[in-house]
Amino acid sequence: MSKRENPVEAFRRVTASTMRAIARRPELQVTFTPDYSDLAGNAARLPAPARDLPPLEVAEVRGEADSLALRLRHHDSAKHLENMPRGAMSREIYNAVETARCDAIGSLRMAGVQSNLGAALEKRCRERGYSRVSAP
């Protein structure tokens, strides 16, 4: 990092480089947006953390980045589509299990990735209101 490089820009650069390394895709294009994460071909979108880089937000963004990178590295689209169930709910479950499978591979191999994925999962659970769910 140069003396003049903005900390947010350094974070973006390092995060994108890490994604490319984990995914083993040097051509991966990574952009940061104010909204959500997404993956389309060799283009990844990540949510941008606040300018003061709060540690929790940094871990959450890194977790999203790690999850997308692990999907690129370990997911087989042809096999996935071949075994895709027909029902909408079945497809959602099937896709969630595939994401968990790819994340688990990375978690077992890299402790830092495991921590980041945990932060990203906790954020998704908060956003979906799972903490308000109670037994009948």
Side-chain angles (χ1 to χ4, degrees):
M1 179 170 97
S2 73
K3 290 183 181 183
R4 290 187 223 162
E5 187 174 25
N6 177 314
V8 173
E9 288 306 313
F11 170 78
R12 291 177 179 186
R13 181 180 48 76
V14 169
T15 301
S17 294
T18 302
M19 280 189 76
R20 290 182 194 101
I22 291 172
R24 294 185 178 166
R25 301 238 180 139
E27 73 283 358
L28 180 64
Q29 298 296 313
V30 181
T31 57
F32 291 82
T33 64
D35 44 14
Y36 56 91
S37 63
D38 188 31
L39 184 61
N42 275 327
R45 290 171 32 147
L46 294 171
R51 291 182 192 265
D52 60 344
L53 297 173
L56 180 58
E57 280 187 44
V58 166
E60 291 166 352
V61 173
R62 285 182 176 163
E64 291 293 332
D66 291 348
S67 184
L68 294 177
L70 289 165
R71 184 169 186 86
L72 284 169
R73 183 167 175 179
H74 299 294
H75 177 71
D76 184 326
S77 295
K79 282 185 183 177
H80 190 74
L81 288 173
E82 180 181 318
N83 296 303
M84 180 74 72
R86 292 185 185 187
M89 183 173 289
S90 297
R91 282 192 305 271
E92 281 188 48
I93 293 168
Y94 182 73
N95 290 332
V97 169
E98 176 63 359
T99 297
R101 183 188 73 81
C102 294
D103 287 355
I105 292 168
S107 289
L108 291 172
R109 293 181 179 167
M110 298 172 270
V113 167
Q114 183 179 42
S115 176
N116 294 338
L117 291 172
L121 177 61
E122 287 180 21
K123 178 184 179 199
R124 284 192 297 276
C125 290
R126 276 193 316 273
E127 288 173 345
R128 293 176 182 166
Y130 294 161
S131 63
R132 296 187 303 268
V133 175
S134 62

